[in-house]
Amino acid sequence: MVFKYFFILAVLLIQPDVLFSQTEKQEQRLAGKALKRIQEDADLFRSWQYMGRMYVDSVAVDTSGEKLNVFLSPNVSMVPVREAWIASLKYVIKDLVGRRFRDYEIQFFCKDKPLESYVPVFYREQLPLDSTRIKGSGLRTPLVKKADEPRYKRGLSNNNIALWASHGSYYELELDRWEWQRARLFGTVEDIYPFAFTRNFLVPMLEDAGANVFLTRERDTQEHEVIVDNDGSTHGSDLITEGDGKWVQSIDNGFSIADTLFKGDNPFQTGSYLQSSANLESSARITYVPNIPENGEYAVYVSWAKVNEALDNVPYRVNHSGGSTRFFVNQQMGYGTWVYLGTFHFSEGRDESSGSVIIEVPQKVSGIVTSDAVRFGGGMGNVARRPEDLYVKRKRSLNDNTPESTGIQTNTSVDYSWKLSGKPRWMEAGRYWMQYAGIPDSIVYSLNGNKNDYNDDYQSRGEWVNYLMGAPDGPTTAPEVQGLNIPLDLAFAFHTDAGTTPDDSIIGTLGIYSTATNSGKFSDGKSRMASRDLTDLVQTQIVSDIRLTFNDEWTRRAMWDKQYSEAWRPNVPTMLLELLSHQNLADMKYGLDPRFQFSVSRSIYKGMLRFLAFREGRQAVIKPLAPDHLRLEREENKRVRISWKPVADPLEPSAVPAGYKVYQRVGANGFDNGVFVEDTSLVVELPEWETIYSFRVTAMNDGGESFPGETLAVSLGSSSDELVLVVNGFDRVGPPAFVDGENAGVAWWDDEGVPWFRDMSHVGKQYDFDRSSLWLDDDSPGHGASFADMEGKVIPGNNFDFVFTHGKAIHNAGYSFISVSDEVFASDNFDPAPYIAVDLLYGEERGIEPLFRSGKKDFRVFNPGTRETLRKYLSSGGNVLVSGAYIGTDPVENQDTATVEFLKEFLHYRWMTNHADNVGALKVTDEASLMFSLSLNYNVEYDPDIYKVEAPDGIEPVGDDAFRIYRYQSNGVCAAVGYSGAFKSVALGFPFETIPSDEERGELMKQILAFFKKAE
């Protein structure tokens, strides 16, 4: 026996490969059997196969270590990998391979990485955290900080985020024209459609959580622009220096105003700047006073120069019509470009006290303060383009890092003129804004040498991110360029995709990231897998919230690790989002809903917050939703109580208010900086009699500040205690109507929808409704094709501020007024008895499909509580004015017989027709001509200041004491009904606030209130 063992040992010593060969063969046989058993199960990845074919590619067996290594196909990396899913896969695999492997450890691999590496660190519970994806925030002085804003420790304070919304108008050299980069479809175009998300919702959400947000395109839709600068200013504007300290003009380059920029022009290299030294003995300040061309909101941008000894806390003050707002600016970064402070309301003309920017040189510190141009408003595009001698063809973003194509000769027989876009600057692609903002051309926005603006534009976005940061993360061709020294935390590209589905199902949400550059690492050694973590968190948040709120079958598409330019170029964690398909009607039915736009934007903000907070080792708290149930109550003399209720977020347990801010406005000015309160009410003393004061409230917590709720207003007179109550019943925001079938699309003739504040993404009405129409070219895009006549027009929607419009008319008629929300008016304990009249404004309130699939429609008129309050009030002899485009239609189309009968019995009108008029002209009836104006107009066309009424109601009087007041001039249909009996009422089948003239509104309100007070 001993001899036998020695013999075997001798054989092994002479031929050791014999045993290993047998072991390898055994392992290969076992692996083959295991793979066959695994591949017999077709259900392993069934739920994800729509992303692309997924399967077990191969298996390796290690008998000595008792390990079964399972190698998955590359597409498995596209799914959201979680610990629980890996555990379930292991369980299934172990069951499939049988008892032989029951004691084996199963390990999955995908694209040469353990499958566990695809689990974001945020979602890890048992797995160890990956330190290469975690990065502390460190000590950081923000670029811009509002002086009275708290530090949101669990929000985004001190975080810097770069983002951009899709493409924009660009100059096509081959065709010698400015054009969109995508086709006009379903009333919009991708070049400006995501801008509606970012401008209206996402950027304010991030900023209200404390972040500094940097954009590749102009953010302000204000077409006016005023420049104030030491090298020359817009006409009527001025720059004033004060104090005993000196402001010295530089010999280095600064900004200089120019009407038009041509190839290679850099406006921040053609002028000069001013500088002053801070010390203990002297003080200095400089005031920039613009000549504002028109009342309105203007973004304010400042600029300064790069100098040694720059201070990191320079005080700035913006004087605006709502008061003064102070900032601290870190001049050690962000130099030589436009830096956004905020958007403020300014009054027309030149007034230093309510329209200026003041920069103060701080005392008791040592250093240098510089000041260059200050800009008010977004303005019009001013970059002129014309063909070069050579141009290059378009290149796909995915092929972005391939060699340049050979240049093609331009037609030299044509004398090409320089061409401006003729569009507001916000509509232009980022490449042109970068030139206006002083960004270098050859390393950032003109990588193709001005030979293809399309390529330059999408390539510039990532390089702009790198230039903001600077060395060692500078632009790809110049990583050591100093740049602007801004430490960015993430970058985000917001797009929508193309494509249709044959069954009109949802295409859904795609996420793209890149890990290939620089061996998968950033310059600090951190892993580019952090970009996948960001992509997973944001995509997960979006899809989860959409499924819970809008559509439980919303498609979660893949996460692609691909070399798209916007994904691979930035040297910071980056996500490229393709939210939905703008070419697919099923997606756009949601995409055109402002509630969807708000919800998706909030999802993106939440995903970014969770990514950054976890990466920096802190807890994330979601900021609250806006309060509701707003109410103003008169107490005594000029004292008014403002009260409200918090709104719970059913998706976010942490979104609970810890306090509130109450903002006040005087007349038609802007709002002030607000007053913080912990309670849900505040008593204020109105400064003056006979003046309109408006109030709105936000909610706050450690995560940030909410959007404001609706705006209510009050004006009190000293000579009378009589009050008119204005009830805001116009809460609706919603999508347009749709038609479906062989002909399908946006039914703009039925209902154009109601934007949330404003919509700047509408290009024109859809004209091709034929589902079989094919795309031929962006100028002939087939189904969904739309006109272009509305491009650049910002469409007003529900500004939640129409109480002011009604209240101003009441004030001008000589009456005092106060206001409440319709939720308060409809509550059980509300008493309307003290008011001499109730003005119930419904605007374009109309029932639409609800969120959270709750069954009952949102935004219905005359809900049961409102009917009951009106019933009590009218039964005691009250007076009611009700106005709105759907005050008859909404009850009828919803088969609400209780409301229909209530309207007949108490408001004495019945519905006759919707779409009663499209002319906007009214004429008084003979029976009302002694009490009301002979004619009247309301808005049925585009107007930059008030929404369009596309479907006013035709209503008819009910009862002996009811009568017609106005008819639509176009067809004689009754537009307004009055009733004078035991009580009095007036019903307008169009919204009162859409009467465009202050004088006409004031006169009509005066006549209505006189009718109410007239004795029988």
Side-chain angles (χ1 to χ4, degrees), residues 58 73 140 233 280 325 364 415 446 657 750 772 803-804 861 1012:
S58 60
S73 62
R140 178 187 295 173
S233 302
L280 297 176
T325 304
K364 300 182 182 179
D415 184 15
S446 187
D750 182 14
S772 64
V803 165
F804 175 80
V861 302
F1012 287 162

Side-chain angles (χ1 to χ4, degrees), residues 552-571:
D552 55 10
E553 295 182 353
W554 187 265
T555 305
R556 176 170 188 155
R557 297 172 65 193
M559 286 182 285
W560 289 350
D561 185 355
K562 293 188 177 182
Q563 291 286 81
Y564 284 87
S565 180
E566 294 164 278
W568 75 262
R569 286 183 183 272
N571 294 321

